[in-house]
Structure formats: structure tokens, C-alpha cells
């Protein structure tokens, strides 16, 4: 049966230069921003300069140093991408490069969210609830497995971004695996994997060109060193590259996991209904699905990936309840890769839920 299957799409070949060029474009944009600030500050009259609490030359120097630190970090990422073969994938990979400078700025801020001490407050709103849900449901089973020498419960994190959530889950003793379908995030996670256990291996200053909406004069040039924890070899779970719906829609994946954990992932799918059925296909009866994230549906979808549909929580909960018993649901206000020291914030109202798998078959998934 083909009902509900993702539509066929042409494979996009691996061309790393398409992604390194995006990074180079961001570098050019950053340097132009420094030039703009230099021109504006040095162009002030002597009377105006006398009113500054921070000398123009010092402001420019600090901004130049911050941008230089970011570009050195991004150059490491660019070299990793350029030297790498196509990311290994069990699905049909799509190597669509992002456009503009915003994706790189967001990437830098996501490193801060996931892997810095400053990001703990923001990610904690999300990760603490998800980790707590997994422990509540599976810790006893995990402890029994450790005592008996059996394999620990298996947990999957689709759309894992830069890999912090699966890293923390594996650190708690679960057999964790993950997936990520965006090239820059996938390789960003690989960059953290290669820090060889060194804390604060990279001293990025991700807000360097965000000169608006500051509370204090040096907010934009503050450092957020990453990672704030040691990442020893073997401590980060395996991450598969590709789209969740294609990677895990196989018959062999039926009831293969004890839990699926999604963070700011569910509404990124081109077909959220199929996402629900795929999660149901993967989780054994009695297993857990826990989610935290908005229903913003603000990801651009190519029609070759399927037509994006935007469901309300009322509608989505109805679809989930076919395959799961929703045990807990709560709306939580949260930020996502934000500048915590900015006067302007975009706040999401996120749905956190825990749901236990029933025994209803996920029709259309895993069928040839």
C-alpha cells in the first residue's frame, strides 16, 4: 500500500561548497557590519564623540576581535564540511543549502543555547522537562538493566540539532541514538564531538554584530565558550543524517525504541500527521513519547518533501491520541536560541506533553 507515503523526490547531490559558501557570505556580512559601525562612529563630530561612555576606537576594536573569533570558529566548521564525504544516511539525503546570513547567525546562537553555560537557563526550560519525563518512565527499567547486565532502554532523538539532548540522555545511562536533517547542524554537532574532551575549546562571541537592543554597552561582544562540559570520545551518541520520516519508516524499526524525545522538532516536519504515525511505529507498546516545542510551522518546505500542514494543538492532540494515551500536557513560555541579553525577544508558547504508546497499528508506516 502506498497510502500516506512521502512523495518521491529527486536526490540532491552532496556539494560541500554550497555550504561553505553560505559561511563565507556570513563572514563577508560580518566584516561589512564592522565597517558600518566604524564609519558611523568615526564620522561623529567631536562634540558627539565626547558624549560617548565608550571610546569609538575601543568599541570598534572589541567588535573586530569578536567577529574575528566567530569567523575562526566558523572556518573550522567550514573545513570540516569541505573535507567530509556526504553525511552517512539510511534515507534518501537532501542536501539543500540555506540562503542568506540568518541561518549562520542562528547556528552560532544555537551553539550558545546547547553547549554554553549561558545557554543553560534557556535550554533548561526544555531539556529538564524532557529528561525528567524519560527518567520518570524509564529509570527503573534502566536500573534493572544495569543490575542484570542487560541492554539499557533505547531512546531516539529526532531532529537533535547540535546534539546536546542526546548527549545528556546517554550521560544518564540510556542507549541513545539521534537524527538530524540539516547539514550545518549535523556538522556543528560533529564539531562538538571532536573537541577531544576539552572544555571551552571554542570561545565564540555570537552576538557580535547584534548592536541593537542592548542593555549594556558590551553585551554584544560577550563570550559564550563552548562546550561548557567535557565531551570525551564516545560520549556523544551516533547521529544519522536525514529526514526522520524517511530514516525510520522501515518495517525493521517497528517497536524498536522505548522512548522518542522531540524538542523544537515536531512542527518542522513537512507532514506532522505522518510524523505522529512514524513515532508510533517506532515506540513499543507501553513506551514513551515526550515533546517540547511550539507549533510555529515556520520551516520552509520544498513541495518535493511534501506539502506542509499546520494543525492546531487540538487537532494534533486528536491525531496523537489514536496511538498514545496523553498523560501530561502543559503550555510553557520559552525562548529558542535567543540573545538572552537583548531588549527584544521572540517568545514561544510551547506544548510539553508525555504520552504512552498503546497497541494500535500505525497504518502506512513500514509497509513496502
Amino acid at each position: 500500500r502506498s497510502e500516506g507515503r512521502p512523495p518521491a523526490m529527486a536526490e540532491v547531490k552532496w556539494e560541500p561548497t554550497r555550504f561553505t559558501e553560505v559561511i563565507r557570505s556570513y563572514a563577508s556580512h560580518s566584516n561589512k557590519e564592522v565597517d558600518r559601525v566604524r564609519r558611523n562612529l568615526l564620522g561623529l563630530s567631536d562634540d558627539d564623540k565626547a558624549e560617548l561612555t565608550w571610546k569609538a576606537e575601543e568599541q570598534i576594536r572589541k567588535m573586530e576581535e569578536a567577529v574575528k573569533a566567530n569567523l575562526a570558529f566558523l572556518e573550522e566548521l567550514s573545513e570540516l564540511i569541505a573535507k567530509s564525504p556526504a553525511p552517512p544516511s539510511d534515507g534518501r539525503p537532501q542536501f539543500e543549502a540555506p540562503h542568506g546570513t540568518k541561518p549562520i547567525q542562528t547556528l552560532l546562537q544555537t551553539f550558545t543555547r546547547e553547549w554554553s553555560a549561558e545557554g543553560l537557563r534557556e535550554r533548561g526550560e526544555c531539556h529538564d522537562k524532557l529528561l525528567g519525563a524519560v527518567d520518570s518512565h524509564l529509570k527503573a527499567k534502566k536500573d534493572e538493566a544495569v543490575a542484570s547486565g542487560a541492554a539499557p532502554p533505547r531512546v531516539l532523538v529526532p531532529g537533535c540539532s547540535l546534539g546536546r539532548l542526546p548527549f545528556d540522555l546517554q550521560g544518564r545511562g540510556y542507549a541513545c541514538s539521534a537524527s538530524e536533517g540539516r547539514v550545518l547542524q549535523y556538522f556543528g554537532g560533529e564539531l562538538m564531538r571532536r573537541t577531544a574532551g576539552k572544555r571551552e575549546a571554542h570561545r565564540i562571541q555570537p552576538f557580535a554584530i547584534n548592536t541593537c537592543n542592548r542593555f549594556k554597552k558590551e553585551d554584544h561582544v560577550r563570550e559564550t565558550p563552548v562546550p561548557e562540559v567535557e565531551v570525551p570520545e564516545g560520549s556523544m551518541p551516533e547521529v544519522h543524517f536525514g529526514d526522520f520520516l524517511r530514516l525510520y519508516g522501515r518495517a525493521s524499526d517497528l517497536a524498536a525504541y522505548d522512548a522518542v524525545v522531540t524538542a523544537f522538532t515536531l512542527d518542522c516536519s513537512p507532514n506532522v500527521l505522518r510524523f505522529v504515525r512514524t513515532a508510533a511505529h517506532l515506540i513499543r507498546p507501553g513506551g514513551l513519547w515526550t515533546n517540547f516545542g511550539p507549533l510555529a510551522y515556520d520551516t520552509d518546505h520544498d513541495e518535493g518533501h511534501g506539502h506542509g500542514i499546520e494543525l492546531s494543538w487540538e487537532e494534533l492532540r486528536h491525531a496523537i491520541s489514536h496511538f498514545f494515551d496523553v498523560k501530561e500536557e502543559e503550555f510553557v513560555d520559552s525562548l529558542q536560541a535567543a540573545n538572552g541579553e537583548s531588549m527584544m525577544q521572540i517568545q514561544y508558547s510551547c506544548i510539553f506533553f508525555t504520552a504512552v504508546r498503546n497497541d494500535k497499528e500505525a497504518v502506512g508506516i513500514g509497509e513496502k
Side-chain angles (χ1 to χ4, degrees), residues 70-360:
N70 291 338
L71 298 189
F73 174 71
L74 290 171
E75 181 60 26
E76 289 193 40
L77 177 61
S78 185
E79 290 178 1
L80 176 60
I81 294 172
K83 294 177 180 178
S84 296
S89 172
D90 293 329
R92 190 171 188 178
Q94 294 295 297
F95 303 116
E96 294 287 352
H99 301 286
T101 59
K102 184 178 178 180
I104 303 299
Q105 182 62 47
T106 300
L107 181 69
L108 286 171
Q109 294 182 203
T110 303
F111 273 106
T112 294
R113 170 187 168 86
E114 294 202 17
W115 289 105
S116 78
E118 178 177 318
L120 176 60
R121 181 176 61 182
E122 184 187 291
R123 71 175 178 269
E125 297 172 341
C126 169
H127 289 195
D128 288 353
K129 283 187 171 293
L130 296 173
L131 294 168
V134 173
D135 279 342
S136 293
H137 197 79
L138 291 177
K139 188 176 185 298
K141 182 177 180 178
K142 179 193 68 178
D143 292 345
E144 290 175 7
V146 171
S148 65
R154 297 187 70 200
V155 179
L156 176 66
V157 184
C160 69
S161 191
L162 298 177
R164 183 57 184 263
L165 185 54
F167 171 79
D168 287 344
L169 281 163
Q170 184 153 295
R172 293 187 178 213
Y174 298 102
C176 190
S177 59
S179 68
E180 175 54 56
R182 296 163 294 181
V183 168
L184 293 173
Q185 280 76 3
Y186 173 83
F187 280 107
E190 289 302 299
L191 195 60
M192 291 296 93
R193 188 193 300 276
R194 299 181 187 209
T195 55
K198 183 180 178 182
R199 291 178 64 250
E200 300 187 350
H202 306 281
R203 307 191 71 84
I204 60 173
Q205 294 167 261
F207 311 106
I209 60 176
N210 295 354
T211 53
C212 298
N213 293 301
R214 288 177 290 159
F215 287 103
K216 297 181 180 180
K217 62 185 181 183
E218 295 191 50
D219 282 348
H220 64 308
V221 293
R222 70 188 187 277
E223 291 186 343
T224 61
V226 296
E228 97 287 5
V229 294
E230 294 182 1
V231 186
E233 185 177 353
S235 63
M236 282 189 71
E238 181 181 14
V239 177
H240 297 277
F241 179 82
D243 176 64
F244 171 65
L245 303 186
R246 295 181 176 280
L247 285 173
Y248 298 101
R250 302 163 300 194
S252 59
D253 291 318
L254 176 64
Y257 293 90
D258 296 282
V260 167
V261 181
T262 48
F264 285 85
T265 300
L266 182 55
D267 65 332
C268 294
S269 175
N271 187 333
V272 69
L273 294 173
R274 189 172 180 87
F275 192 106
V276 170
R277 297 204 307 279
T278 301
H281 175 72
L282 294 172
I283 301 171
R284 63 169 179 81
L288 175 75
W289 181 11
T290 184
N291 172 84
F292 188 106
L295 297 179
Y297 304 105
D298 54 2
T299 301
D300 292 331
H301 295 300
D302 188 304
E303 288 191 359
H305 291 66
H307 297 282
I309 53 174
E310 299 88 29
L311 300 185
S312 66
W313 169 238
E314 177 186 21
E315 295 167 299
L316 185 55
R317 191 191 191 285
H318 176 73
I320 292 169
S321 67
H322 290 159
F323 310 101
F324 297 87
D325 297 325
V326 178
K327 298 296 186 181
E328 184 179 2
E329 56 185 299
E330 176 187 358
F331 285 97
V332 182
D333 291 337
S334 183
L335 306 176
Q336 164 70 343
N339 179 354
E341 301 299 327
S342 174
M343 296 169 66
M344 185 183 77
Q345 303 289 355
I346 297 177
Q347 181 172 275
Y348 293 96
S349 184
C350 296
I351 178 63
F352 165 70
F353 68 75
T354 62
V356 176
R357 180 73 168 99
N358 60 29
D359 58 2
K360 185 174 181 179

